Structures are given as structure tokens and as C-alpha cells.
């Protein structure tokens, strides 16, 4: 099926309340699910959300336990190989709601 056909079928299914096949759904923006690897690439041990109820609580953990601020825009660039360079969040009260665009 062509992309136009899939989009048309998805639109019809939405209007009729039917489930939309996964292949016709838009791909969501990537999340920041590799912050440990990002921090390690910068010479740190891993990452931690010091408060799971705050998007601003993410830090890289250094080798002596020190905490380093994470630039989420830079993390998005690294995470997506430059494809997305901006970071945003869905909910300021949820440290795990970051995504890249």
C-alpha cells in the first residue's frame, strides 16, 4: 500500500472509531531514553533524576558522586545524531516526560 492509501485508511478508521494500524500511525518524537549513555559519552558514570516529579532534576553522576547539569538540547542532538536538536517536555512534574524535536 502507498503512504496516501495508509493515511486515507487511517483517517477513515479514526472517523469510524476503529483502531488504527501501527504502520499508519505517525511516529512520535524520540524521547531521551539514553541519558546514561549520553553522560558516559561525556566521561561520567551514569545519569539520575534526583526528583522524579521534576523535569529539571536530571544530572550526570561523576566518578566521585558529584552531580553535573545536563543540557537537554545537547542530549537530543547526541541522542538523535543531529536529527533533532531541541528538547521539550510533556509534563514539568514528570522527570521522564522529555522528548526531542
Amino acid at each position: 500500500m502507498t503512504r496516501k492509501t495508509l493515511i486515507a485508511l487511517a483517517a477513515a478508521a479514526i472517523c469510524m472509531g476503529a483502531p488504527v494500524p501501527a504502520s499508519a500511525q505517525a511516529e512520535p518524537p524520540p524521547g531521551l531514553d539514553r541519558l546514561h549513555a549520553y553522560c558516559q559519552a561525556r566521561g561520567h558514570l551514569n545519569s539520575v533524576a534526583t526528583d522524579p516529579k521534576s523535569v529539571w532534576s536530571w544530572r550526570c553522576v561523576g566518578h566521585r558522586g558529584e552531580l553535573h547539569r545536563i543540557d537537554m538540547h545537547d542530549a537530543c542532538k547526541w541522542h538523535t545524531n543531529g536529527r533533532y536538536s531541541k528538547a521539550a517536555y510533556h509534563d514539568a512534574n514528570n522527570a521522564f516526560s522529555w522528548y526531542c524535536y
Side-chain angles (χ1 to χ4, degrees):
M1 272 190 229
T2 68
R3 182 165 174 78
K4 284 184 181 181
T5 304
L6 285 172
I7 292 171
L9 288 173
I14 290 170
C15 291
M16 296 178 356
V20 179
S23 62
Q25 295 176 7
E27 184 178 318
L32 286 170
D33 57 349
R34 295 180 56 217
L35 284 176
H36 285 336
Y38 170 80
C39 289
Q40 290 169 346
R42 272 135 188 82
H44 304 297
L45 290 176
N46 58 24
S47 64
V48 65
T50 59
D51 178 359
K53 294 183 179 181
S54 172
V55 292
W56 307 112
S57 70
W58 282 103
R59 300 289 184 266
C60 288
V61 180
H63 291 275
R64 292 180 301 227
E66 70 277 12
L67 300 177
H68 303 272
R69 191 181 76 80
I70 296 176
D71 178 339
M72 290 301 201
H73 297 298
D74 187 57
C76 278
K77 288 178 195 174
W78 179 86
H79 183 73
T80 64
N81 293 319
R83 184 172 166 209
Y84 297 98
S85 61
K86 302 285 185 200
Y89 52 86
H90 295 289
D91 180 359
N93 298 313
N94 180 351
F96 302 91
S97 68
W98 282 102
Y99 65 94
C100 302
Y101 68 99

